[in-house]
């Protein structure tokens, strides 16, 4: 049985795509089969994996592989086609066995309005009853077809109907953050919005109309994995003072505001489960603190390989600079290895 993990934060610029790619790679490195699904119409994950730099590259891909993307997979429900939703072929990620990509589509957002209407649970629901359960059904078929242990959803930074649906039908969610004011405010926003989404999902599952749909809306079993704090400047192995202050504030806000709300709605694990998973980040809900990749991010992207998996000859350096690159690579290997182990440990309780 697979676990679907949503990487969600409606604040942009917190490295959701990079985290999805790196975490997926490390989970596969550990022997898991992992499917990454690009649900963001910006298609950054798709571009990263396929090494596409321009919109024209995606257009060409869609022409050659018209049925190999998330929008095409959902079309039977959203475009009233006379066939059921089926799994579509995923793309194997080069250099990492066991890691696959379901490409995104720049026009997936066209389904947003229709899904939003369906999810209002109004009188029009009879005509649109198959839509709310379509995403979960499709993702389940993709996971089964690829014998996946984990499905990672790279989500766009919004509070739209598609994100609401994806998050509420996932098993687990991870919140990537950055040490700044906007991430702190995003935690407050999540504490206010998620209860409304949870109540909506439970109501949707209980509706006879949706239970009788071709794609029934599932029972909500969502659990909070924790946060990842990244993109800070390190000094002597720790965040600099200014960044550390924001890190402390985010951790405190998660502990005092977000987790109590999630626990009230049954969306957080018992406290002892978090405590049993040693984070090494001085905070039970922070699964990793990841410093800025700096110049290594460009090297990583050019090789479609995480920083921690770069080979020596990929750095393009020699001597002292190469040794520094290798030391940073090993540091990031340790960080993402521990993150993946913590995710797996928590997922066993979901």
């Amino acid at each position: 049985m697979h676990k679907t993990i949503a990487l969600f934060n409606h604040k942009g610029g917190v490295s959701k795509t990079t985290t999805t790619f790196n975490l997926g790679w490390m989970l596969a490195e550990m022997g898991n089969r992992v499917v990454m699904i690009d649900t963001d119409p910006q298609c950054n994950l798709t571009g990263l994996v396929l090494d596409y730099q321009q919109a024209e590259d995606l257009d060409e891909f869609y022409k050659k592989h018209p049925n190999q993307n998330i929008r095409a997979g959902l079309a039977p429900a959203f475009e009233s086609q006379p066939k059921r939703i089926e799994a579509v072929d995923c793309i194997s990620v080069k250099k990492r066995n066991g890691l696959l990509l379901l490409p995104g589509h720049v026009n997936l957002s066209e389904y947003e309005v229709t899904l939003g209407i369906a999810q209002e649970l109004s009188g029009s629901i009879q005509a649109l009853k198959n839509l709310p359960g379509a995403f979960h059904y499709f993702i389940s078929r993709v996971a089964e077809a690829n014998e996946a242990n984990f499905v990672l959803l790279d989500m766009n930074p919004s509070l739209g109907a598609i994100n609401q649906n994806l998050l509420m039908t996932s098993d687990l969610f991870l919140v990537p953050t950055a040490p700044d004011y906007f991430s702190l405010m995003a935690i407050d926003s999540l504490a206010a919005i998620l209860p409304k989404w949870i109540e909506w999902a439970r109501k949707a599952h209980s509706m006879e109309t949706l239970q009788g749909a071709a794609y029934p809306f599932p029972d909500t079993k969502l659990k909070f994995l924790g946060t990842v704090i990244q993109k800070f400047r390190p000094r002597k192995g720790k965040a600099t003072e200014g960044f550390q202050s924001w890190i402390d504030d985010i951790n405190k806000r998660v502990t005092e505001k977000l987790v109590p709300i999630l626990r009230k709605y049954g969306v957080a694990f018992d406290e002892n489960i978090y405590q049993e998973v040693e984070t090494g980040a001085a905070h039970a809900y922070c699964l990793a603190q990841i410093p800025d990749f700096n110049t290594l991010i460009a090297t990583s992207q050019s090789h479609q390989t995480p920083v921690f998996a770069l080979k020596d000859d990929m750095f393009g350096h020699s001597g002292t600079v190469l040794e520094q690159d290798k030391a940073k690579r090993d540091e990031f290997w340790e960080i993402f290895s521990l993150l993946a182990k913590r995710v797996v440990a928590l997922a066993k309780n979901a």
Side-chain angles (χ1 to χ4, degrees):
M1 180 68 71
H2 75 280
K3 298 295 183 185
T4 298
I5 302 176
L7 284 87
F8 176 67
N9 188 340
H10 57 297
K11 177 198 179 297
V14 293
S15 298
K16 286 189 292 293
T17 296
T18 303
T19 303
T20 302
F21 182 59
N22 289 359
L23 176 59
W25 188 293
M26 185 58 77
L27 287 170
E29 185 81 27
M30 294 166 58
N32 297 289
R33 286 187 61 80
V34 182
V35 175
M36 304 180 296
I37 301 182
D38 192 347
T39 73
D40 186 348
Q42 295 184 62
C43 296
N44 291 327
L45 181 61
T46 302
L48 173 61
V49 172
L50 300 181
D51 193 25
Y52 290 165
Q53 306 297 323
Q54 305 293 332
E56 291 77 6
D57 296 327
L58 276 173
D59 288 341
E60 189 63 25
F61 173 80
Y62 296 145
K63 290 177 182 177
K64 292 182 177 180
H65 310 277
N67 299 315
Q68 203 169 2
N69 63 77
I70 185 173
R71 186 177 185 275
L74 291 163
F78 282 84
E79 298 179 16
S80 300
Q81 296 178 355
K83 61 180 181 178
R84 286 187 67 82
I85 287 175
E86 298 177 350
V88 300
D89 291 336
C90 293
I91 294 172
S92 296
V93 175
K94 296 178 181 178
K95 307 170 190 172
R96 181 60 268 160
N97 292 335
L99 183 61
L100 303 104
L101 169 74
L102 175 59
H105 197 288
V106 294
N107 293 331
L108 178 63
S109 56
E110 293 176 359
Y111 294 163
E112 188 92 50
V113 174
T114 309
L115 181 62
I117 295 172
Q119 292 183 171
E120 286 180 356
L121 308 180
S122 63
S124 63
I125 196 68
Q126 185 64 38
L128 303 172
K129 65 180 183 179
N130 290 334
L131 302 190
F135 277 88
H136 179 263
Y137 183 90
F138 174 60
I139 291 169
S140 296
R141 297 291 81 73
V142 171
E144 290 172 4
N146 292 281
E147 300 181 327
N149 303 109
F150 292 97
V151 173
L152 304 185
L153 307 181
D154 183 24
M155 298 168 65
N156 70 73
S158 79
L159 295 174
I162 290 178
N163 275 357
Q164 178 183 6
N165 187 292
L166 288 170
L167 185 59
M168 291 300 106
T169 57
S170 294
D171 299 300
L172 303 150
F173 74 107
L174 184 67
V175 180
T177 66
D180 57 31
Y181 173 80
F182 299 103
S183 282
L184 189 63
M185 292 300 98
I187 298 300
D188 287 343
S189 180
L190 289 176
I193 292 164
L194 291 182
K196 299 176 183 178
W197 283 11
I198 295 165
E199 290 176 352
W200 164 80
R202 290 174 178 169
K203 181 179 179 181
H205 175 67
S206 69
M207 290 190 66
E208 185 176 345
T209 302
L210 294 187
Q211 284 304 301
Y215 314 116
F217 191 83
D219 191 10
T220 302
K221 299 178 180 178
L222 184 67
K223 294 292 184 183
F224 175 57
L225 279 174
T227 63
V228 172
I229 303 178
Q230 52 202 325
K231 300 181 71 173
F232 59 84
R233 188 178 304 113
R235 180 178 297 165
K236 297 181 179 179
K238 297 182 179 180
T240 59
E241 184 176 350
F243 284 111
Q244 188 60 52
S245 177
W246 285 116
I247 291 172
D248 293 341
D249 287 345
I250 290 172
N251 285 336
K252 182 177 180 181
R253 195 67 59 89
V254 169
T255 300
E256 296 181 355
K257 191 165 187 178
L258 180 60
V259 171
I261 288 289
L262 296 179
R263 183 157 287 122
K264 177 181 177 182
Y265 283 84
V267 181
F269 291 114
D270 291 340
E271 188 63 30
N272 66 299
I273 293 176
Y274 290 108
Q275 296 296 339
E276 288 171 1
V277 179
E278 176 57 46
T279 66
H283 194 275
Y285 308 114
C286 181
L287 301 188
Q289 292 182 190
I290 306 170
D292 203 317
F293 292 120
N294 293 322
T295 58
L296 290 180
I297 190 63
T299 305
S300 170
Q301 292 174 346
S302 67
H303 291 283
Q304 298 88 57
T305 303
V307 168
F308 60 74
L310 291 169
K311 305 297 184 183
D312 291 0
D313 60 356
M314 293 179 177
F315 291 111
H317 297 142
S318 61
T320 302
V321 176
L322 175 58
E323 293 305 313
Q324 292 173 345
D325 289 340
K326 290 163 62 177
K328 294 300 293 183
R329 175 192 62 195
D330 294 345
E331 176 186 345
F332 285 115
W333 175 274
E334 181 69 13
I335 290 172
F336 279 96
S337 177
L338 288 173
L339 171 60
K341 289 177 181 177
R342 291 161 188 157
V343 167
V344 171
L346 286 168
K348 289 179 180 179
N349 294 280

